[in-house]
Amino acid sequence: MASERPSTSAASHIQFHELEIDDRILKAIAKLGWEEPTAIQEKAIPLLLNGKDVLMRGRTGSGKTGAFAIPLIQKIIMSSQAENAEGVKALIIAPSKELCNQIHSHILQLTCKCSRDVSCVDISPQVDASIQKPLLLENPHIIVATPVRALLHLKSNNLSLKKSLEMLVIDEADLMFSLGYENDVKDVLKYLPKVYQAVLASATISEEVISLKKLILHNAVILKLEEPNLAPLSQLTHYYLNAEEEEKAIILYTLLKLSLISGKIIVFVNSVDRCYKLKLFLEQFGILSCVLNSELPASSRCHAISQFNEDVYKILIASDEKSMEGENNKNRKEAKKSGKRKKDKESGVARGIDFQYVTSVINYDFPLDTAAYVHRAGRTARGTNKGVVLSFVNLREQPLKDEAESYIREGLRETNEIFQQYKFNLEEVEGFRYRAKDAWRAVTRIAVREARLKEIKQEIFNSKKLKRYFEENPKDLLSLRHDKALHTVKVSDHLADVPDYIVPSSLKEVVSTKIDKKNPKEKFKLKQGKNRAFRKYVAKKKDPLKGMEFTGFDEFEKSKL
């Protein structure tokens, strides 16, 4: 039996070519830069190739998508010569459009060498069903969809799965019922054949997952890796900074403007309004950022994530409204009734999305439940990369921080404190305080409302009116940026500059206020230093969150005496 197979030890990793995978898939894997299977892939791929139903549980970034996509593609290639090769062979269901887009993208990458034998279509975009009908008439081998979109096409007879479907995959299974998709999923199952192979992939095994398991899986193998929900402390560092509400904006402005945080950054807030308020605030200082929230069109959200992954911009402000609602059906319905604008419930950026090479996650608003903290933190330190989470915590949010710390400590089996205090002396940045207060005050409710309308109109225009043009000119799509200034708040040009006299004395040795002529928007650069030892000191600072106190530099100066 599969469940009796001995687990592979860490010292004897199996390579992809040992998993009996087609050479064309192996070439695609090599092109993606995957050196060896992850733990979940190593165990799941052989089981799925043998036709077993599998429930796989693995933390974010563990490679679950590859674990079910690779054997799925392999089985389609193997059956391509069979008599019943025509028709949809696999249905992949995910709870958000962004995740569907990501899964579809991964499958296209894995089938780049065998695209004639394996086709895949994403029907999650919320367009008229008649527009997607021609795509389904071509009988793609793999269909990726949200539960609502899959059910829509099944009811419209645009999609028939009774005779051809061989595999059903449900990704982020623990979200399906909690986000209100229980009836949709059950209705989809009515249109499936009696016999098919099934896969459930989830970050946690909750009561909802157990309910789905009973509905879908038969004699399933449960792969529950003995690993915590988050990366170990050696890979992911957790910081907290005590800051009251009026201090958070000052600190964020200082951290970004003085380049005390480097690399790609995701800033999480708890509402759409906060998303735009923060963007407009940073805009006044010449700090450009991209917003991501449930009000934007799905195509714009997916394109923004794609550009962020391609390093088009470095700062992304994401609203995590689902944590605000506690991922609870009742609360979500109440929020929907009281909301003024229509939000896309099939959106989500804190769960499942593979943001690539994110250096730092900043919780500007501390998440309202422990699960939300875990999923936000999971956007960084993915795979073998290192990352940092910095959380701003006010007095009201302190119990939430303590609860999250207890949960993480238990999961990691740590006895030491999880959260390290990030030292930030507000008295050293008084000049920044006055500027930040004025800029924050300038972002009124009217300015935020105008920004929301302007951004939504602009993105709808980009999504619909230019769709055909971008299909014909894909290279021009790269020039479409999502971090442009909204200009609903008057911007004073001098605020983009930071005079030398307001830079903290402890940072003047390593921060330069000289303007870079090639890129005048980036005013601050670490001094290269003429001394080789100083350059080595700067290079050794692996922690992207550089504190206000540069004791290492002081020690270096003393060593020269």
Side-chain angles (χ1 to χ4, degrees), residues 262-466:
S262 60
K264 293 167 70 174
I265 304 161
I266 300 179
V267 182
F268 277 106
V269 294
N270 284 346
S271 69
V272 176
D273 270 351
R274 298 274 278 183
C275 201
Y276 286 103
K277 189 173 180 69
L278 211 52
K279 177 180 172 65
L280 292 173
F281 169 74
L282 296 176
E283 202 175 275
Q284 296 178 75
F285 303 106
I287 302 173
L288 296 181
S289 60
C290 168
V291 295
L292 205 59
N293 59 70
S294 59
E295 288 187 349
L296 297 174
S299 56
S300 293
R301 297 197 303 266
C302 294
H303 186 245
I305 293 169
S306 175
Q307 285 197 329
F308 182 72
N309 285 339
E310 293 169 3
D311 291 339
V312 176
Y313 34 79
K314 300 290 186 182
I315 303 172
L316 188 145
I317 304 173
S319 60
D320 184 16
E321 304 109 275
K322 285 186 174 62
S323 73
M324 190 75 175
E325 298 159 12
E327 294 187 356
N328 181 279
N329 262 340
K330 183 179 178 181
N331 291 344
R332 194 176 70 255
K333 288 178 181 178
E334 291 175 358
K336 186 175 180 181
K337 289 178 181 178
S338 61
K340 295 181 180 179
R341 292 186 181 86
K342 184 179 179 181
K343 296 180 181 179
D344 186 355
K345 77 168 188 174
E346 295 179 345
S347 73
V349 293
R351 288 293 304 265
I353 302 301
D354 184 16
F355 290 105
Q356 296 175 10
Y357 306 112
V358 175
T359 309
S360 307
V361 167
I362 299 178
N363 287 317
Y364 188 88
D365 294 327
F366 201 87
L368 299 184
D369 57 71
T370 301
Y373 180 90
V374 170
H375 296 306
R376 288 186 187 184
R379 299 312 98 204
T380 184
R382 297 178 72 85
T384 58
N385 298 314
K386 291 190 175 183
V388 170
V389 181
L390 172 63
S391 300
F392 296 167
V393 184
N394 60 32
L395 191 62
R396 180 177 54 83
E397 294 168 330
Q398 189 65 42
L400 298 171
K401 176 246 178 186
D402 294 339
E403 184 181 342
E405 185 167 24
S406 299
Y407 178 83
I408 297 169
R409 185 188 292 116
E410 183 180 349
L412 296 177
R413 298 177 183 176
E414 285 280 344
T415 56
N416 300 325
E417 291 185 356
I418 301 298
F419 287 90
Q420 302 178 33
Q421 186 170 10
Y422 181 70
K423 296 180 181 179
F424 190 98
N425 189 353
L426 271 174
E427 295 178 359
E428 292 188 32
V429 290
E430 280 299 316
F432 289 85
R433 179 194 290 270
Y434 293 122
R435 285 177 162 219
K437 279 191 172 182
D438 289 341
W440 189 257
R441 199 178 298 117
V443 186
T444 61
R445 289 185 178 181
I446 295 175
V448 170
R449 186 177 63 206
E450 290 176 350
R452 288 175 71 167
L453 288 172
K454 186 174 182 179
E455 179 87 343
I456 293 165
K457 287 178 181 177
Q458 180 176 301
E459 293 300 335
I460 289 175
F461 176 77
N462 291 337
S463 299
K464 292 184 177 180
K465 300 297 183 183
L466 301 181

Side-chain angles (χ1 to χ4, degrees), residues 515-528:
I515 297 175
D516 184 350
K517 293 181 180 179
K518 293 183 179 180
N519 194 357
K521 291 181 180 179
E522 295 183 8
K523 310 293 181 182
F524 295 91
K525 301 290 180 183
L526 282 176
K527 287 183 178 179
Q528 295 297 319

Side-chain angles (χ1 to χ4, degrees), residues 40 94 107 136 176 192 220 281 336 408 458 480 514 519:
I40 194 76
I107 292 175
L136 298 175
M176 284 299 172
L192 305 187
F281 169 74
K336 186 175 180 181
I408 297 169
Q458 180 176 301
L480 181 64
K514 293 182 179 179
N519 194 357

Side-chain angles (χ1 to χ4, degrees), residues 26 48 58-59 75 155 171 182 190-191 229 251 262 277 313 337 355 361 401 424 500 529 539 556:
L26 291 175
L48 291 173
R59 69 175 173 85
K75 295 186 78 170
K155 286 183 175 180
D171 199 9
E182 180 175 0
K190 296 175 184 178
Y191 292 87
N229 291 330
I251 295 170
S262 60
K277 189 173 180 69
Y313 34 79
K337 289 178 181 178
F355 290 105
V361 167
K401 176 246 178 186
F424 190 98
D500 186 70
F556 165 69

Side-chain angles (χ1 to χ4, degrees), residues 10-134:
S12 59
H13 284 300
I14 295 176
Q15 300 301 311
F16 279 112
H17 69 269
E18 299 178 74
L19 294 173
E20 300 180 1
I21 298 172
D22 191 275
D23 286 344
R24 290 168 290 180
I25 303 177
L26 291 175
K27 289 178 181 178
I29 289 172
K31 189 177 179 180
L32 286 170
W34 297 358
E35 296 180 359
E36 61 183 22
T38 63
I40 194 76
Q41 291 169 355
E42 184 179 322
K43 292 177 171 58
I45 291 174
L47 292 171
L48 291 173
L49 288 175
N50 287 330
K52 297 289 184 182
D53 283 9
V54 174
L55 168 58
M56 62 176 79
R57 180 264 186 200
R59 69 175 173 85
T60 180
S62 61
K64 294 190 294 295
T65 303
F68 63 72
I70 291 172
L72 172 57
I73 296 167
Q74 174 67 24
K75 295 186 78 170
I76 292 174
I77 291 175
M78 291 173 64
S79 64
S80 60
Q81 304 300 324
E83 295 180 0
N84 61 341
E86 296 296 325
V88 177
K89 299 299 178 184
L91 173 64
I92 302 175
I93 296 178
S96 71
K97 294 183 177 72
E98 293 91 342
L99 188 52
C100 286
N101 179 266
Q102 180 179 286
I103 293 170
H104 179 245
S105 176
H106 276 312
I107 292 175
L108 292 183
Q109 290 172 329
L110 288 168
T111 58
C112 64
K113 303 295 182 180
C114 56
S115 55
R116 291 184 179 180
D117 295 319
V118 183
S119 56
C120 180
V121 170
D122 175 15
I123 59 171
S124 65
Q126 198 166 356
V127 297
D128 192 273
S130 60
I131 296 175
Q132 293 176 337
K133 185 177 180 179

Side-chain angles (χ1 to χ4, degrees), residues 500 503-513 525-529 534 537-538 550 553-554 556-557 560:
D500 186 70
V503 178
S505 57
S506 59
L507 297 180
K508 285 184 178 179
E509 295 292 345
V510 289
V511 172
S512 173
T513 57
K525 301 290 180 183
L526 282 176
K527 287 183 178 179
Q528 295 297 319
F534 176 74
Y537 159 72
V538 175
F550 282 75
F553 180 73
D554 295 335
F556 165 69
E557 288 293 323
K560 294 195 298 183

